[in-house]
């Protein structure tokens, strides 16, 4: 079989500050909403992808949702997990291994931290390869900060250019009623904030919020019965880079330099064909480097690209149109939220933040400290 695959339904749970629900409840809420968006029932789901929750993901989630899938995936590569899983799901549907696949995620990262739970601490431990870095206090943020410094040294990227990534995200969040922060900020606001890991001040770093997301994919023969317009899967790429920072050959090149070209080649498209981008932005440098790696600008020119306002709504390439992880939401892993926003843009359902005539979206997730990447291309027109 070689069936076309479409996103049939997307939804978020309650997001932001959610103190009255656990992660399973958020997944359940998002899943029910996504299925309703597609006009499908839970008993029609025969494929499930989920990770980061439970003892044996996605088994726990399937039991909680009351479904018995015949295809499952629990790929766990950090923030890129969801783009990778979407690619796997598309392959499974195309091959006839499943007809309706649900991808679902939920997290109470903010609420858990407020409650003082030990599990709220983002600690990668010191087992395996990490034993060689953990004794030196090389935290997640410091890894990104060091890489950003290398880009600044090698290409002359300025801290003001990196700050524009955060300013653009907040600009896009202004018209998103679900965004965690919506008040405008300036370059000076970013630069004058408390230092977290040089050169990153607080606003260079993603927020911590609660929330869930869900996406439903179907085979092309189901499209005629959908409640919402389909968003078509066009192509994807996945790759890993490194685990130890010492094994990262070049801190100015991330794994999206592999997944981007693969996705574009498989979709028969180029970066110039993209109307809207949803790019993982745990830190400002993550987005800047990914834009270069995906081919939206030349290597070393990311700073100049973003400082022109290209990421803003109305710019040359509206990016993270909901406000991104820097302003809208970042509940542990944001990859699935990127797909939801891209689908809404391609269906023309984003209200005042809608990108006019958006037909092609590029979605790219990054896991760990540029350890993994998944890039997906989606379209509003049947391929």
């Amino acid at each position: 079989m070689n069936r076309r695959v479409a996103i049939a339904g997307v939804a978020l749970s309650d997001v932001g500050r959610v103190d009255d629900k656990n992660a399973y409840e958020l997944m359940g809420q998002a899943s029910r909403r996504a299925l309703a968006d597609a006009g499908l029932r839970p008993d029609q789901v025969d494929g499930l992808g989920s990770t980061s929750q439970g003892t044996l993901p996605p088994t726990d989630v399937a039991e909680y949702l009351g479904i018995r899938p015949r295809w499952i995936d629990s790929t766990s590569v950090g923030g890129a997990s969801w783009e990778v899983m979407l690619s796997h799901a598309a392959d499974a549907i195309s091959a006839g291994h499943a007809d309706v696949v649900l991808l679902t995620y939920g997290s109470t990262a903010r609420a858990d931290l407020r409650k003082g739970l030990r599990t709220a601490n983002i600690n990668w431990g010191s087992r395996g390869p990490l034993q060689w870095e953990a004794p030196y206090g090389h935290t997640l943020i410091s890894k990104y900060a060091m890489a950003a410094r290398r880009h600044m040294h090698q290409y002359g990227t300025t801290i003001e250019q990196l700050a524009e990534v955060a300013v653009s995200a907040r600009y896009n969040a202004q018209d998103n009623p679900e965004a965690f922060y919506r008040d405008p900020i300036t370059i000076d606001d970013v630069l004058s904030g408390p230092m977290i890991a040089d050169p990153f001040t607080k606003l260079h770093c993603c927020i911590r919020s609660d929330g869930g997301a869900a996406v439903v994919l179907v085979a092309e023969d189901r499209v005629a019965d959908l409640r919402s317009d389909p968003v078509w899967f066009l192509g994807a790429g996945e790759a890993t880079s490194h685990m130890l920072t010492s094994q990262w050959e070049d801190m100015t090149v991330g794994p999206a330099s592999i997944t981007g070209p693969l996705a574009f080649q498989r979709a028969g498209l180029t970066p110039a064909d993209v109307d809207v981008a949803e790019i993982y932005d745990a830190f400002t440098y993550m987005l800047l480097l990914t834009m270069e790696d995906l081919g939206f600008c030349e290597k070393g020119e990311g700073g100049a690209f973003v400082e022109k306002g290209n990421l803003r709504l109305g710019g040359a390439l509206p990016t993270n149109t909901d406000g991104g992880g820097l302003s809208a939401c970042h509940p542990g892993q944001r990859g699935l939220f990127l797909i939801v926003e891209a689908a809404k843009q391609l269906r023309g359902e984003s209200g005042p933040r809608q990108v006019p005539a958006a037909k092609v979206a590029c979605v790219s997730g990054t896991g760990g400290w540029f350890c993994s990447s998944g890039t997906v291309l989606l379209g509003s027109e049947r391929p």
Side-chain angles (χ1 to χ4, degrees):
M1 302 182 73
N2 188 24
R3 302 185 295 183
R4 304 287 187 183
V5 178
I7 292 176
V10 297
L12 302 182
S13 70
D14 296 343
V15 296
R17 299 172 177 86
V18 186
D19 294 313
D20 61 344
K21 293 180 177 65
N22 61 38
Y24 286 97
E25 290 174 298
L26 293 175
M27 281 188 283
Q29 186 182 58
S31 298
R32 288 191 298 272
R33 290 176 178 177
L35 286 168
D37 183 49
L40 296 170
R41 304 185 310 273
D43 62 0
Q44 293 175 295
V45 175
D46 59 357
L48 175 67
S50 190
T51 189
S52 298
Q53 294 297 337
T55 306
L56 295 172
T59 309
D60 310 51
V61 177
E63 183 175 78
Y64 181 82
L65 297 177
I67 60 178
R68 297 292 184 268
R70 59 189 174 97
W71 177 89
I72 57 174
D73 192 355
S74 61
T75 296
S76 182
V77 286
S81 299
W82 304 99
E83 285 67 36
V84 172
M85 267 196 276
L86 188 146
S87 177
H88 294 176
D91 287 345
I93 293 172
S94 178
H97 298 161
D99 294 318
V100 179
V101 173
L102 170 68
L103 306 181
T104 185
Y105 172 76
S107 170
T108 51
R110 184 208 65 88
D112 291 351
L113 187 65
R114 293 290 181 179
K115 294 173 183 175
L117 302 182
R118 286 192 301 170
T119 52
N121 180 31
I122 302 178
N123 185 347
W124 298 89
S126 58
R127 295 182 179 180
L130 291 178
Q131 66 183 296
W132 307 111
E133 290 184 351
Y136 302 98
H138 204 201
T139 64
L140 172 67
I141 296 177
S142 69
K143 296 174 195 288
Y144 276 99
M146 185 167 66
R149 275 294 183 196
R150 180 62 197 179
H151 200 280
M152 295 169 74
H153 168 77
Q154 188 163 326
Y155 293 111
T157 306
T158 68
I159 192 62
E160 289 82 7
Q161 290 171 334
L162 285 169
E164 174 57 35
V165 175
V167 174
S168 292
R170 188 64 62 87
Y171 178 89
N172 293 346
Q174 291 179 88
D175 290 322
N176 180 8
E178 294 182 309
F180 202 87
Y181 293 113
R182 299 175 63 188
D183 294 336
I185 57 174
T186 65
I187 298 293
D188 287 341
D189 291 332
V190 179
L191 301 186
S192 63
M195 183 62 67
I196 304 299
D198 185 33
F200 294 153
T201 52
K202 182 178 179 180
L203 292 177
H204 282 279
C205 309
C206 66
I207 62 177
R208 188 160 178 161
S209 63
D210 307 314
V215 171
V216 180
L217 296 100
V218 300
E220 58 185 329
D221 53 4
R222 298 249 184 177
V223 166
D225 300 324
L226 297 181
R227 180 170 295 164
S228 301
D229 292 334
V231 170
W232 296 93
F233 173 83
L234 304 180
E238 58 189 84
T240 62
S241 174
H242 59 275
M243 189 67 183
L244 291 177
T245 306
S246 62
Q247 303 305 304
W248 190 3
E249 295 179 355
D250 186 341
M251 291 185 183
T252 68
V253 179
S257 63
I258 303 298
T259 65
L262 283 174
F264 282 112
Q265 178 186 11
R266 291 165 180 171
L269 298 171
T270 70
D273 296 313
V274 174
D275 301 306
V276 59
E278 307 297 340
I279 310 297
Y280 211 118
D281 60 342
F283 304 96
T284 53
Y285 178 62
M286 177 190 280
L287 186 144
L288 185 145
L289 184 63
T290 304
M291 299 300 280
E292 292 181 350
D293 288 340
L294 292 175
F296 293 119
C297 57
E298 295 297 322
K299 179 56 62 179
E301 296 181 3
F305 180 81
V306 302
E307 74 176 344
K308 297 175 183 177
N310 286 330
L311 306 181
R312 301 188 184 197
L313 290 166
L317 183 61
T319 300
N320 293 346
T321 48
D322 63 343
L326 292 167
S327 287
C329 66
H330 193 289
Q333 293 181 0
R334 180 170 159 76
L336 197 54
F337 295 76
L338 302 175
I339 300 168
V340 171
E341 178 66 13
K344 289 182 176 179
Q345 284 287 343
L346 294 177
R347 297 194 320 199
E349 298 175 352
S350 297
R353 67 178 192 277
Q354 178 64 47
V355 176
K359 293 183 178 180
V360 176
C362 178
V363 182
S364 188
T366 301
W369 34 99
F370 290 109
C371 303
S372 61
S373 171
T375 298
V376 177
L377 289 166
L378 303 172
S380 61
E381 298 180 352
R382 188 188 187 101

